[in-house]
Amino acid sequence: MKLYYLGHSSFLIESKKGFKVVIDPYHLKVNKKFPEVSAEVVLITHEHPDHNAYWLIKPFKIEDKEIQPKTLKRTTNFVSSFEIKTTTNDIIEFTAIPSFHDKLEGKKFGPNTIWTFYIDGLKITHVGDLGHLLKEQDLKIIGTTDILIAPIGGGDYTINFKEFLILMDQLKSIVSIPVHYKTKYTPWITDSLDVINFPAVEKLDDYILNIFTIPPIPKIYIFPDEVWDKIPDKI
């Protein structure tokens, strides 16, 4: 599996067979142009302009055909499930779990969706702009996860790094990736990567993270500001 970091909270995830899913493409607020990418599926965690630009994702080509990506959004206040048959002849179930963008049950910044799914046998959980700790019922639905993608920016917007660590422990994640933090491209966010304090941290020097095997112990992988500068205009 390859994880392409696209900046802010956005990723392009590519399976060994070539299936591609993009999560939370941005078009406003982030002071960086979103790269040109194609994918079969686009996941949107919530309707803020730094997370919802599904229309920027290009059609993908297979056997000289252009196929429009499927955009998945949670449209109910209940857990939703979307079963997608991919062009690689796999069936992937995307589970959408209701949550909120703040600690006031969405009264300040609205609803948020946690997405969880399997790629190459590994469970990925992207919590979007989660603004609170998870309830027991949420933890029962999600269970454990191999790869956790969660915000650390804190302030009024999202959980902070201490809450990120709690989430890591609750979901037993082995690969954990902080997103939605303060950079020169996202100056409105409260906390930067400087708040991270953990025994096993790997500072990446590229925007692509190859995951062939899960590490033996939990590890946090970070994409520093200089990696943002390496994200190309087209992937």
Side-chain angles (χ1 to χ4, degrees), residues 84 113 117 136 166-167 174 183-184 188 194 199 212 219:
I84 302 294
T113 298
F117 54 96
E136 193 63 32
I166 293 172
L167 197 58
I174 303 298
T183 68
K184 64 183 178 182
W188 77 91
D194 293 339
F212 302 111
K219 182 184 284 189

Side-chain angles (χ1 to χ4, degrees), residues 92-199:
I92 298 179
E93 183 178 13
F94 296 91
T95 301
I97 300 156
S99 59
F100 299 105
H101 200 317
D102 52 56
K103 291 178 172 62
L104 302 173
E105 296 193 338
K107 292 178 182 177
K108 192 166 188 178
F109 295 119
N112 178 70
T113 298
I114 298 167
W115 286 102
T116 187
F117 54 96
Y118 284 89
I119 297 285
D120 293 340
L122 297 177
K123 189 174 183 180
I124 302 169
T125 301
H126 190 304
V127 305
D129 272 5
L130 182 67
H132 55 90
L133 292 175
L134 296 181
K135 299 176 181 179
E136 193 63 32
Q137 63 190 37
D138 302 322
L139 297 172
K140 287 181 179 179
I141 294 167
I142 300 171
T144 60
T145 194
D146 298 299
I147 301 170
L148 171 66
I149 302 172
I152 62 165
D156 291 334
Y157 291 104
T158 69
I159 60 173
N160 57 32
F161 180 66
K162 289 182 179 180
E163 293 165 317
F164 178 94
L165 290 178
I166 293 172
L167 197 58
M168 279 181 62
D169 181 63
Q170 290 175 324
L171 299 180
K172 308 302 180 189
S173 58
I174 303 298
V175 173
S176 299
I177 304 173
V179 294
H180 201 283
Y181 47 85
K182 186 174 185 176
T183 68
K184 64 183 178 182
Y185 298 108
T186 54
W188 77 91
I189 300 175
T190 304
D191 292 339
S192 70
L193 291 174
D194 293 339
V195 300
I196 292 178
N197 181 17
F198 191 73

Side-chain angles (χ1 to χ4, degrees), residues 202-218:
E202 183 170 341
K203 185 178 180 181
L204 300 168
D205 59 7
D206 192 19
Y207 70 99
I208 303 174
L209 174 59
N210 290 289
I211 300 180
F212 302 111
T213 59
I214 292 296
I217 60 172

Side-chain angles (χ1 to χ4, degrees), residues 61-76:
K61 293 183 179 180
I62 183 170
E63 298 178 354
D64 297 325
K65 293 181 181 179
E66 282 196 349
I67 302 176
Q68 294 293 329
K70 298 180 179 70
T71 299
L72 303 183
K73 302 179 183 181
R74 179 177 57 87
T75 57
T76 72

